[in-house]
Amino acid sequence: MKKTILLLLSVLAVALISCQDKFLEAKPDKALLVPATPDDFQALMDDAFTMNTMPGLSIISDGDYSISDAGWKAFSVPYVTNSYIWAEQIYEGQGVTDWSMPYQQVFNANIVLEGLGKLDRGAVGDQRYNELKGSALFYRALAFFNIAQTFAAPYDKSTLAATPGIPVRLSSDINSPSSGGTLQETYQQIEHDLLAAMPLLPDRARPANRPSKQAARAFFARMYLAMEEYDKAERYADSCLKVQNSLLDYNNLDTNSTRPFPAVFSGDNPEVIYYLVLRGNSFTVSSLATVEPLLYDLYQAGDLRKKLFFRDRGSGIYTFKGSYNGANTIAGTLFGGFATDELYLIRAECYARRGEKELAEKDLNTLLSMRFKSENFAPVHTADAGSALERVMLERRKELIERGLRWYDLRRLNKDPRFAVTLRRVVDGTTYTLPPNSARYTFPFPDDEIKAGGF
Protein backbone atom coordinates (compact mmCIF):
# COMPACT_ATOMS: atom_id res chain seq x y z
CA MET A 1 0.00 0.00 0.00
CA LYS A 2 2.87 2.36 0.84
CA LYS A 3 4.37 1.95 -2.65
CA THR A 4 0.94 2.58 -4.17
CA ILE A 5 0.49 5.77 -2.18
CA LEU A 6 3.94 7.05 -3.15
CA LEU A 7 3.37 6.22 -6.81
CA LEU A 8 0.07 8.07 -6.80
CA LEU A 9 1.73 10.97 -5.03
CA SER A 10 4.37 11.13 -7.77
CA VAL A 11 1.67 11.23 -10.42
CA LEU A 12 -0.12 13.96 -8.47
CA ALA A 13 3.09 15.97 -8.10
CA VAL A 14 3.73 15.85 -11.85
CA ALA A 15 0.15 16.95 -12.45
CA LEU A 16 0.60 19.82 -10.01
CA ILE A 17 3.71 21.05 -11.74
CA SER A 18 1.99 20.84 -15.11
CA CYS A 19 -1.09 22.67 -13.89
CA GLN A 20 1.02 25.09 -11.84
CA ASP A 21 -1.03 27.30 -9.57
CA LYS A 22 -4.55 26.19 -10.30
CA PHE A 23 -4.36 24.16 -7.11
CA LEU A 24 -6.99 26.02 -5.13
CA GLU A 25 -9.17 26.40 -8.19
CA ALA A 26 -8.93 22.72 -9.21
CA LYS A 27 -8.28 20.71 -6.06
CA PRO A 28 -6.54 17.31 -6.13
CA ASP A 29 -8.90 14.37 -6.36
CA LYS A 30 -9.10 12.83 -2.88
CA ALA A 31 -10.02 9.51 -4.44
CA LEU A 32 -6.58 9.35 -6.05
CA LEU A 33 -4.85 9.00 -2.69
CA VAL A 34 -7.27 6.94 -0.61
CA PRO A 35 -5.00 6.92 2.46
CA ALA A 36 -6.73 5.11 5.29
CA THR A 37 -4.12 3.51 7.55
CA PRO A 38 -1.31 4.88 9.73
CA ASP A 39 1.19 3.58 7.16
CA ASP A 40 -0.66 5.44 4.42
CA PHE A 41 -0.58 8.67 6.42
CA GLN A 42 3.13 8.33 7.14
CA ALA A 43 3.84 7.65 3.46
CA LEU A 44 1.87 10.74 2.52
CA MET A 45 3.94 12.92 4.84
CA ASP A 46 7.25 11.23 3.98
CA ASP A 47 6.99 12.49 0.40
CA ALA A 48 9.85 14.96 0.87
CA PHE A 49 9.53 16.24 -2.70
CA THR A 50 6.17 17.72 -1.72
CA MET A 51 6.20 18.13 2.05
CA ASN A 52 9.70 19.54 2.56
CA THR A 53 9.63 22.37 0.02
CA MET A 54 9.21 26.10 0.59
CA PRO A 55 8.75 28.99 -1.89
CA GLY A 56 11.95 30.13 -3.62
CA LEU A 57 10.72 33.21 -5.47
CA SER A 58 12.47 35.54 -3.05
CA ILE A 59 15.92 34.35 -4.15
CA ILE A 60 15.27 36.09 -7.48
CA SER A 61 14.29 39.36 -5.79
CA ASP A 62 16.40 39.67 -2.65
CA GLY A 63 19.30 41.52 -4.34
CA ASP A 64 22.11 39.16 -3.36
CA TYR A 65 22.50 37.85 -6.90
CA SER A 66 22.47 39.48 -10.31
CA ILE A 67 22.45 38.44 -13.93
CA SER A 68 23.66 40.02 -17.16
CA ASP A 69 21.30 41.68 -19.63
CA ALA A 70 21.78 38.78 -22.04
CA GLY A 71 21.10 36.29 -19.26
CA TRP A 72 17.96 38.12 -18.16
CA LYS A 73 16.62 38.18 -21.73
CA ALA A 74 17.36 34.46 -22.09
CA PHE A 75 14.86 33.49 -19.39
CA SER A 76 11.56 32.39 -20.89
CA VAL A 77 9.53 32.23 -17.67
CA PRO A 78 7.71 35.52 -16.96
CA TYR A 79 7.74 35.19 -13.17
CA VAL A 80 11.56 34.97 -13.24
CA THR A 81 12.22 38.03 -15.40
CA ASN A 82 9.48 40.06 -13.73
CA SER A 83 10.47 39.10 -10.16
CA TYR A 84 14.04 40.13 -10.95
CA ILE A 85 12.96 43.73 -11.69
CA TRP A 86 10.28 43.80 -8.96
CA ALA A 87 7.45 44.27 -11.44
CA GLU A 88 3.97 44.81 -10.01
CA GLN A 89 2.50 42.07 -12.22
CA ILE A 90 4.81 39.10 -12.55
CA TYR A 91 2.91 36.02 -13.77
CA GLU A 92 1.41 37.12 -17.11
CA GLY A 93 -1.35 34.54 -16.74
CA GLN A 94 0.95 31.66 -15.81
CA GLY A 95 0.85 29.79 -12.53
CA VAL A 96 3.67 29.27 -10.04
CA THR A 97 4.47 26.22 -7.94
CA ASP A 98 5.68 28.44 -5.09
CA TRP A 99 1.95 28.85 -4.44
CA SER A 100 0.57 25.45 -5.38
CA MET A 101 3.17 23.28 -3.63
CA PRO A 102 2.62 24.62 -0.08
CA TYR A 103 -1.14 24.36 -0.59
CA GLN A 104 -0.58 20.74 -1.59
CA GLN A 105 1.15 20.36 1.79
CA VAL A 106 -1.92 21.86 3.48
CA PHE A 107 -4.18 19.48 1.58
CA ASN A 108 -2.10 16.45 2.57
CA ALA A 109 -2.01 17.54 6.21
CA ASN A 110 -5.79 17.93 6.23
CA ILE A 111 -6.17 14.46 4.70
CA VAL A 112 -4.11 13.00 7.56
CA LEU A 113 -5.91 14.94 10.30
CA GLU A 114 -9.32 13.92 9.00
CA GLY A 115 -8.24 10.33 8.46
CA LEU A 116 -6.87 10.01 11.98
CA GLY A 117 -10.24 11.15 13.31
CA LYS A 118 -11.81 8.06 11.76
CA LEU A 119 -9.38 5.58 13.35
CA ASP A 120 -9.50 3.79 16.68
CA ARG A 121 -6.78 5.58 18.64
CA GLY A 122 -6.28 2.58 20.87
CA ALA A 123 -5.67 0.30 17.91
CA VAL A 124 -3.16 2.71 16.43
CA GLY A 125 -1.37 3.30 19.73
CA ASP A 126 -1.07 6.60 21.54
CA GLN A 127 2.52 7.31 20.56
CA ARG A 128 2.08 6.70 16.85
CA TYR A 129 -1.26 8.47 16.75
CA ASN A 130 0.25 11.52 18.45
CA GLU A 131 3.27 11.61 16.16
CA LEU A 132 1.12 11.40 13.04
CA LYS A 133 -1.23 14.12 14.27
CA GLY A 134 1.60 16.32 15.47
CA SER A 135 3.41 15.96 12.14
CA ALA A 136 0.32 16.92 10.15
CA LEU A 137 -0.24 20.01 12.31
CA PHE A 138 3.44 20.96 11.97
CA TYR A 139 3.36 20.62 8.18
CA ARG A 140 0.19 22.70 7.93
CA ALA A 141 1.59 25.44 10.15
CA LEU A 142 4.86 25.54 8.22
CA ALA A 143 3.06 25.70 4.87
CA PHE A 144 0.86 28.60 6.01
CA PHE A 145 3.90 30.42 7.42
CA ASN A 146 5.91 30.04 4.22
CA ILE A 147 2.98 31.18 2.09
CA ALA A 148 2.53 34.21 4.33
CA GLN A 149 6.20 35.20 4.05
CA THR A 150 5.87 35.31 0.27
CA PHE A 151 2.27 36.19 -0.59
CA ALA A 152 1.12 38.26 2.42
CA ALA A 153 2.25 41.65 3.67
CA PRO A 154 5.03 41.81 6.29
CA TYR A 155 3.89 41.33 9.88
CA ASP A 156 3.07 44.68 11.51
CA LYS A 157 1.17 44.75 14.80
CA SER A 158 -0.26 48.19 14.14
CA THR A 159 -2.07 47.10 10.95
CA LEU A 160 -2.42 43.37 11.52
CA ALA A 161 -6.16 43.25 12.08
CA ALA A 162 -6.86 45.25 8.93
CA THR A 163 -4.38 43.52 6.60
CA PRO A 164 -5.63 40.72 4.32
CA GLY A 165 -4.33 37.28 5.12
CA ILE A 166 -3.85 34.23 2.92
CA PRO A 167 -6.45 31.57 2.05
CA VAL A 168 -6.58 29.24 5.08
CA ARG A 169 -7.90 25.78 4.32
CA LEU A 170 -8.69 23.56 7.29
CA SER A 171 -10.55 20.89 5.31
CA SER A 172 -9.65 18.60 2.42
CA ASP A 173 -13.22 18.88 1.12
CA ILE A 174 -12.86 20.23 -2.40
CA ASN A 175 -16.17 22.06 -2.00
CA SER A 176 -15.16 23.75 1.23
CA PRO A 177 -14.39 27.45 0.62
CA SER A 178 -11.06 28.93 1.63
CA SER A 179 -11.10 31.25 4.60
CA GLY A 180 -9.37 34.50 3.68
CA GLY A 181 -9.62 36.61 6.79
CA THR A 182 -6.96 38.95 8.13
CA LEU A 183 -3.25 38.52 8.55
CA GLN A 184 -3.86 38.40 12.28
CA GLU A 185 -6.09 35.36 11.79
CA THR A 186 -3.47 33.77 9.53
CA TYR A 187 -0.80 33.99 12.21
CA GLN A 188 -3.21 32.89 14.90
CA GLN A 189 -3.86 29.72 12.91
CA ILE A 190 -0.14 29.10 12.41
CA GLU A 191 0.56 29.58 16.11
CA HIS A 192 -2.42 27.42 17.10
CA ASP A 193 -1.31 24.53 14.87
CA LEU A 194 2.30 24.67 16.02
CA LEU A 195 1.39 24.86 19.71
CA ALA A 196 -0.90 21.87 19.27
CA ALA A 197 1.77 19.94 17.36
CA MET A 198 4.70 20.41 19.70
CA PRO A 199 3.71 18.16 22.64
CA LEU A 200 2.72 15.36 20.23
CA LEU A 201 6.04 15.17 18.38
CA PRO A 202 9.12 13.08 19.27
CA ASP A 203 12.04 14.93 20.84
CA ARG A 204 14.29 14.35 17.83
CA ALA A 205 13.51 12.80 14.46
CA ARG A 206 15.46 10.80 11.93
CA PRO A 207 15.43 11.16 9.01
CA ALA A 208 15.71 14.93 9.14
CA ASN A 209 12.68 15.49 6.93
CA ARG A 210 10.33 14.42 9.73
CA PRO A 211 9.02 16.94 12.29
CA SER A 212 10.12 16.86 15.92
CA LYS A 213 9.92 18.95 19.08
CA GLN A 214 13.36 20.29 18.21
CA ALA A 215 12.17 21.33 14.73
CA ALA A 216 9.11 22.97 16.30
CA ARG A 217 11.30 25.00 18.67
CA ALA A 218 13.41 26.19 15.73
CA PHE A 219 10.26 26.99 13.75
CA PHE A 220 8.88 29.01 16.65
CA ALA A 221 12.14 30.97 16.88
CA ARG A 222 12.06 31.83 13.16
CA MET A 223 8.36 32.67 13.26
CA TYR A 224 8.55 34.94 16.30
CA LEU A 225 11.56 36.73 14.81
CA ALA A 226 9.45 37.49 11.72
CA MET A 227 6.69 38.70 14.07
CA GLU A 228 9.21 40.85 16.01
CA GLU A 229 8.25 39.02 19.20
CA TYR A 230 11.86 39.01 20.31
CA ASP A 231 11.32 37.71 23.83
CA LYS A 232 9.57 34.63 22.47
CA ALA A 233 12.09 34.18 19.67
CA GLU A 234 14.90 34.23 22.22
CA ARG A 235 13.13 31.75 24.48
CA TYR A 236 12.60 29.21 21.72
CA ALA A 237 16.07 29.67 20.21
CA ASP A 238 17.56 29.15 23.67
CA SER A 239 15.47 26.05 24.38
CA CYS A 240 16.46 24.63 20.99
CA LEU A 241 20.17 25.25 21.56
CA LYS A 242 19.99 23.63 24.99
CA VAL A 243 19.08 20.40 23.21
CA GLN A 244 21.31 20.77 20.14
CA ASN A 245 24.08 23.37 19.99
CA SER A 246 26.76 21.73 17.84
CA LEU A 247 28.35 23.63 14.98
CA LEU A 248 30.22 22.35 11.96
CA ASP A 249 33.89 23.35 12.07
CA TYR A 250 34.53 24.80 8.63
CA ASN A 251 38.28 24.22 9.15
CA ASN A 252 37.60 20.54 8.47
CA LEU A 253 35.94 21.08 5.07
CA ASP A 254 37.51 21.09 1.61
CA THR A 255 37.30 24.61 0.22
CA ASN A 256 38.08 23.31 -3.29
CA SER A 257 35.12 20.93 -3.38
CA THR A 258 32.19 21.81 -5.65
CA ARG A 259 29.86 20.59 -2.88
CA PRO A 260 31.84 21.06 0.31
CA PHE A 261 29.11 20.33 2.88
CA PRO A 262 28.08 16.85 4.06
CA ALA A 263 25.02 15.26 2.48
CA VAL A 264 22.06 16.45 4.51
CA PHE A 265 20.81 12.92 5.29
CA SER A 266 24.25 11.54 6.15
CA GLY A 267 24.02 12.77 9.71
CA ASP A 268 27.49 14.32 9.35
CA ASN A 269 26.34 17.92 9.66
CA PRO A 270 25.58 18.45 13.35
CA GLU A 271 23.89 21.77 12.62
CA VAL A 272 20.93 20.44 10.63
CA ILE A 273 17.72 20.19 12.66
CA TYR A 274 15.11 19.91 9.92
CA TYR A 275 15.35 19.41 6.16
CA LEU A 276 13.58 21.89 3.91
CA VAL A 277 14.47 23.07 0.41
CA LEU A 278 13.58 26.17 -1.53
CA ARG A 279 11.58 25.48 -4.64
CA GLY A 280 14.01 25.54 -7.56
CA ASN A 281 13.55 27.71 -10.62
CA SER A 282 15.48 28.64 -13.73
CA PHE A 283 17.19 31.50 -11.89
CA THR A 284 18.61 29.41 -9.05
CA VAL A 285 19.83 26.73 -11.46
CA SER A 286 21.49 29.20 -13.81
CA SER A 287 25.27 29.59 -13.81
CA LEU A 288 24.63 33.10 -15.13
CA ALA A 289 23.29 34.20 -11.73
CA THR A 290 26.30 35.58 -9.90
CA VAL A 291 26.84 36.94 -6.42
CA GLU A 292 26.84 40.70 -6.05
CA PRO A 293 30.47 41.92 -5.67
CA LEU A 294 29.57 44.10 -2.65
CA LEU A 295 28.20 41.04 -0.86
CA TYR A 296 31.22 38.91 -1.73
CA ASP A 297 33.54 41.62 -0.41
CA LEU A 298 31.86 41.48 3.02
CA TYR A 299 33.77 38.27 3.78
CA GLN A 300 37.10 39.08 5.43
CA ALA A 301 40.46 37.44 4.91
CA GLY A 302 40.53 34.12 6.71
CA ASP A 303 36.74 33.73 6.57
CA LEU A 304 36.33 30.18 5.28
CA ARG A 305 32.82 30.94 4.04
CA LYS A 306 34.32 32.94 1.19
CA LYS A 307 35.61 29.76 -0.45
CA LEU A 308 33.10 27.28 0.94
CA PHE A 309 30.05 29.26 -0.13
CA PHE A 310 31.24 30.53 -3.51
CA ARG A 311 32.75 29.09 -6.65
CA ASP A 312 35.27 31.26 -8.46
CA ARG A 313 34.29 31.39 -12.14
CA GLY A 314 37.14 33.75 -13.06
CA SER A 315 37.11 37.41 -14.07
CA GLY A 316 35.69 38.41 -10.70
CA ILE A 317 32.56 36.28 -11.12
CA TYR A 318 31.34 33.99 -8.31
CA THR A 319 28.43 31.59 -8.01
CA PHE A 320 26.97 29.90 -4.94
CA LYS A 321 27.94 26.35 -3.95
CA GLY A 322 27.38 26.40 -0.19
CA SER A 323 23.98 24.77 0.25
CA TYR A 324 23.59 22.66 3.38
CA ASN A 325 21.90 20.06 1.18
CA GLY A 326 25.46 19.07 0.36
CA ALA A 327 25.81 16.07 -1.92
CA ASN A 328 22.02 15.73 -1.89
CA THR A 329 21.70 18.99 -3.77
CA ILE A 330 19.61 18.74 -6.92
CA ALA A 331 20.23 21.46 -9.47
CA GLY A 332 18.34 24.58 -8.49
CA THR A 333 17.40 23.49 -4.96
CA LEU A 334 18.76 25.24 -1.90
CA PHE A 335 18.61 24.41 1.82
CA GLY A 336 16.00 26.44 3.65
CA GLY A 337 15.58 24.27 6.74
CA PHE A 338 16.36 24.83 10.39
CA ALA A 339 19.94 24.63 11.64
CA THR A 340 21.84 25.64 14.75
CA ASP A 341 23.76 28.46 13.06
CA GLU A 342 20.47 30.28 12.45
CA LEU A 343 19.46 29.68 16.08
CA TYR A 344 22.70 31.20 17.41
CA LEU A 345 22.07 34.29 15.28
CA ILE A 346 18.43 34.58 16.37
CA ARG A 347 19.41 34.36 20.03
CA ALA A 348 22.28 36.82 19.55
CA GLU A 349 19.94 39.32 17.90
CA CYS A 350 17.42 39.02 20.71
CA TYR A 351 20.15 39.45 23.33
CA ALA A 352 21.39 42.61 21.59
CA ARG A 353 17.87 44.01 21.31
CA ARG A 354 17.39 43.80 25.06
CA GLY A 355 20.80 45.32 25.79
CA GLU A 356 22.75 42.16 26.61
CA LYS A 357 25.83 43.04 24.56
CA GLU A 358 28.14 40.45 26.13
CA LEU A 359 25.70 37.58 25.58
CA ALA A 360 25.22 38.62 21.96
CA GLU A 361 28.99 38.71 21.47
CA LYS A 362 29.35 35.29 23.08
CA ASP A 363 26.95 33.71 20.59
CA LEU A 364 28.62 35.49 17.68
CA ASN A 365 32.05 34.32 18.78
CA THR A 366 30.85 30.75 19.26
CA LEU A 367 29.63 30.75 15.67
CA LEU A 368 32.48 32.68 14.06
CA SER A 369 35.17 30.58 15.74
CA MET A 370 33.90 27.74 13.52
CA ARG A 371 33.83 29.90 10.38
CA PHE A 372 37.32 31.40 10.31
CA LYS A 373 40.66 29.74 9.89
CA SER A 374 41.83 29.07 13.42
CA GLU A 375 44.84 31.37 13.05
CA ASN A 376 42.70 34.22 11.69
CA PHE A 377 39.84 34.21 14.16
CA ALA A 378 39.60 37.34 16.31
CA PRO A 379 36.76 37.54 18.87
CA VAL A 380 34.06 40.14 18.27
CA HIS A 381 34.08 43.10 20.63
CA THR A 382 31.53 45.87 20.17
CA ALA A 383 31.07 49.27 21.77
CA ASP A 384 27.48 48.82 22.88
CA ALA A 385 24.28 46.82 22.30
CA GLY A 386 23.44 48.83 19.19
CA SER A 387 26.80 48.01 17.64
CA ALA A 388 26.35 44.37 18.61
CA LEU A 389 22.98 44.33 16.85
CA GLU A 390 24.54 45.77 13.70
CA ARG A 391 27.19 43.04 13.75
CA VAL A 392 24.54 40.35 14.17
CA MET A 393 22.69 41.70 11.13
CA LEU A 394 25.92 41.60 9.12
CA GLU A 395 26.59 38.01 10.14
CA ARG A 396 23.01 36.96 9.34
CA ARG A 397 23.50 38.18 5.81
CA LYS A 398 26.84 36.40 5.43
CA GLU A 399 25.92 33.15 7.19
CA LEU A 400 22.38 32.55 5.93
CA ILE A 401 22.87 33.45 2.29
CA GLU A 402 20.66 31.60 -0.23
CA ARG A 403 18.35 30.12 2.41
CA GLY A 404 15.41 32.38 1.57
CA LEU A 405 15.89 34.34 4.80
CA ARG A 406 17.32 37.51 3.28
CA TRP A 407 13.85 38.40 1.99
CA TYR A 408 12.36 37.79 5.44
CA ASP A 409 14.97 40.11 6.95
CA LEU A 410 14.41 42.86 4.39
CA ARG A 411 10.67 42.76 5.02
CA ARG A 412 10.98 43.09 8.79
CA LEU A 413 14.03 45.35 9.01
CA ASN A 414 12.99 47.93 6.44
CA LYS A 415 10.85 49.58 9.12
CA ASP A 416 14.04 50.39 11.05
CA PRO A 417 16.02 53.31 9.53
CA ARG A 418 19.26 51.69 10.75
CA PHE A 419 18.77 48.71 8.48
CA ALA A 420 16.46 49.92 5.72
CA VAL A 421 17.86 49.50 2.21
CA THR A 422 16.83 50.40 -1.32
CA LEU A 423 17.56 47.62 -3.80
CA ARG A 424 18.65 48.68 -7.31
CA ARG A 425 19.21 46.84 -10.56
CA VAL A 426 20.05 48.07 -14.04
CA VAL A 427 18.67 45.94 -16.87
CA ASP A 428 19.17 46.88 -20.51
CA GLY A 429 19.85 50.48 -19.58
CA THR A 430 16.83 50.87 -17.30
CA THR A 431 17.25 51.30 -13.54
CA TYR A 432 14.76 49.47 -11.32
CA THR A 433 14.44 50.12 -7.60
CA LEU A 434 12.71 48.49 -4.65
CA PRO A 435 12.41 51.04 -1.82
CA PRO A 436 11.91 50.07 1.83
CA ASN A 437 8.38 48.99 2.75
CA SER A 438 7.27 48.85 -0.87
CA ALA A 439 4.09 46.89 -1.61
CA ARG A 440 6.24 44.84 -3.98
CA TYR A 441 7.78 43.09 -0.98
CA THR A 442 4.57 41.05 -1.16
CA PHE A 443 4.28 38.75 -4.16
CA PRO A 444 0.78 38.90 -5.68
CA PHE A 445 -1.54 35.92 -5.61
CA PRO A 446 -1.38 33.99 -8.89
CA ASP A 447 -3.66 35.34 -11.61
CA ASP A 448 -5.78 32.20 -11.79
CA GLU A 449 -6.30 32.22 -8.03
CA ILE A 450 -7.48 35.83 -8.09
CA LYS A 451 -9.97 35.04 -10.86
CA ALA A 452 -11.21 31.92 -9.10
CA GLY A 453 -11.38 33.29 -5.56
CA GLY A 454 -12.23 36.91 -6.15
CA PHE A 455 -9.31 38.13 -4.02
Side-chain angles (χ1 to χ4, degrees):
M1 183 64 178
K2 182 177 181 179
K3 291 182 179 178
T4 301
I5 292 291
L6 291 175
L7 177 61
L8 290 170
L9 281 170
S10 298
V11 173
L12 178 60
V14 172
L16 278 170
I17 293 171
S18 300
C19 295
Q20 296 283 310
D21 294 280
K22 295 183 180 180
F23 176 75
L24 290 181
E25 179 183 359
K27 311 295 190 301
D29 182 359
K30 273 180 72 174
L32 263 181
L33 304 177
V34 293
T37 71
D39 286 346
D40 295 344
F41 300 144
Q42 189 65 66
L44 191 66
M45 293 189 290
D46 278 345
D47 173 23
F49 175 82
T50 300
M51 302 303 290
N52 293 83
T53 303
M54 62 184 281
L57 272 173
S58 65
I59 294 293
I60 306 170
S61 301
D62 67 14
D64 281 350
Y65 268 63
S66 61
I67 201 161
S68 67
D69 288 353
W72 181 78
K73 292 175 183 177
F75 286 119
S76 59
V77 182
Y79 77 78
V80 173
T81 55
N82 290 330
S83 294
Y84 185 78
I85 60 173
W86 311 297
E88 291 185 11
Q89 302 299 323
I90 66 173
Y91 309 118
E92 298 184 18
Q94 295 187 9
V96 58
T97 50
D98 291 70
W99 172 275
S100 61
M101 190 67 83
Y103 274 112
Q104 176 65 41
Q105 296 163 9
V106 172
F107 179 81
N108 289 358
N110 287 334
I111 287 279
V112 173
L113 291 169
E114 292 162 7
L116 286 171
K118 300 173 184 177
L119 296 182
D120 181 345
R121 183 186 180 112
V124 176
D126 283 344
Q127 181 176 343
R128 190 170 194 202
Y129 187 96
N130 286 342
E131 289 184 7
L132 289 168
K133 183 177 181 180
S135 294
L137 289 166
F138 177 96
Y139 282 121
R140 190 169 73 181
L142 186 57
F144 285 146
F145 176 74
N146 288 331
I147 296 165
Q149 300 317 298
T150 305
F151 299 101
Y155 190 96
D156 187 332
K157 282 185 180 180
S158 65
T159 60
L160 200 60
T163 302
I166 60 170
V168 173
R169 293 194 62 82
L170 304 180
S171 169
S172 66
D173 183 351
I174 61 174
N175 297 311
S176 176
S178 300
S179 171
T182 65
L183 194 57
Q184 183 174 39
E185 291 168 331
T186 295
Y187 276 91
Q188 285 174 343
Q189 185 62 51
I190 295 167
E191 192 172 32
H192 175 273
D193 279 352
L194 193 52
L195 284 169
M198 192 165 178
L200 305 177
L201 294 168
D203 292 335
R204 303 282 288 273
R206 288 292 180 267
N209 61 295
R210 288 187 176 181
S212 64
K213 283 186 174 68
Q214 185 70 338
R217 294 184 189 102
F219 180 5
F220 266 127
R222 182 183 290 185
M223 180 185 76
Y224 284 130
L225 193 73
M227 296 168 65
E228 299 179 279
E229 296 278 359
Y230 297 116
D231 55 339
K232 294 179 181 178
E234 178 189 330
R235 184 165 70 248
Y236 279 102
D238 183 66
S239 66
C240 197
L241 289 169
K242 284 180 178 176
V243 175
Q244 181 178 349
N245 62 9
S246 299
L247 290 166
L248 187 63
D249 188 346
Y250 282 14
N251 285 278
N252 298 328
L253 301 177
D254 181 5
T255 57
N256 295 316
S257 173
T258 55
R259 291 181 179 176
F261 292 96
V264 71
F265 291 111
S266 68
D268 294 330
N269 188 339
E271 297 185 19
V272 174
I273 295 169
Y274 180 73
Y275 170 75
L276 194 66
V277 298
L278 277 72
R279 181 71 184 162
N281 54 60
S282 54
F283 184 85
T284 57
V285 75
S286 176
S287 61
L288 299 174
T290 60
V291 65
E292 280 290 329
L294 290 176
L295 172 58
Y296 182 78
D297 290 342
L298 291 176
Y299 297 84
Q300 302 164 265
D303 191 334
L304 291 162
R305 293 173 293 188
K306 197 162 190 172
K307 290 187 176 181
L308 289 169
F309 284 2
F310 306 110
R311 180 178 177 182
D312 188 347
R313 299 278 184 171
S315 303
I317 295 174
Y318 300 89
T319 54
F320 184 71
K321 67 173 185 177
S323 173
Y324 266 20
N325 289 344
N328 293 120
T329 301
I330 301 171
T333 63
L334 299 164
F335 180 81
F338 303 121
T340 56
D341 59 345
E342 180 188 355
L343 274 296
Y344 274 106
L345 288 165
I346 290 175
R347 191 171 68 177
E349 177 178 343
C350 296
Y351 283 153
R353 287 186 180 279
R354 65 179 176 90
E356 296 286 356
K357 177 182 83 76
E358 291 79 10
L359 290 176
E361 290 174 348
K362 182 179 179 180
D363 274 351
L364 282 175
N365 288 326
T366 298
L367 174 65
L368 295 177
S369 68
M370 297 292 183
R371 300 307 187 242
F372 278 76
K373 290 181 181 179
S374 301
E375 62 270 24
N376 294 113
F377 172 67
V380 171
H381 294 291
T382 57
D384 50 37
S387 299
L389 180 60
E390 290 175 2
R391 182 59 186 268
V392 173
M393 293 299 103
L394 173 63
E395 294 306 329
R396 275 188 66 87
R397 189 174 184 196
K398 291 160 60 182
E399 178 71 16
L400 304 177
I401 183 173
E402 296 296 273
R403 296 198 199 175
L405 299 177
R406 174 62 176 163
W407 191 250
Y408 293 11
D409 284 347
L410 288 168
R411 281 162 52 98
R412 70 185 177 94
L413 295 173
N414 272 335
K415 292 173 284 184
D416 186 335
R418 292 174 297 174
F419 303 113
V421 297
T422 296
L423 300 181
R424 290 181 176 84
R425 279 172 169 157
V426 179
V427 178
D428 203 22
T430 300
T431 299
Y432 299 90
T433 62
L434 183 65
N437 307 309
S438 168
R440 286 171 287 162
Y441 270 105
T442 302
F443 285 88
F445 288 4
D447 300 336
D448 287 348
E449 178 60 22
I450 294 173
K451 290 177 183 177
F455 295 104

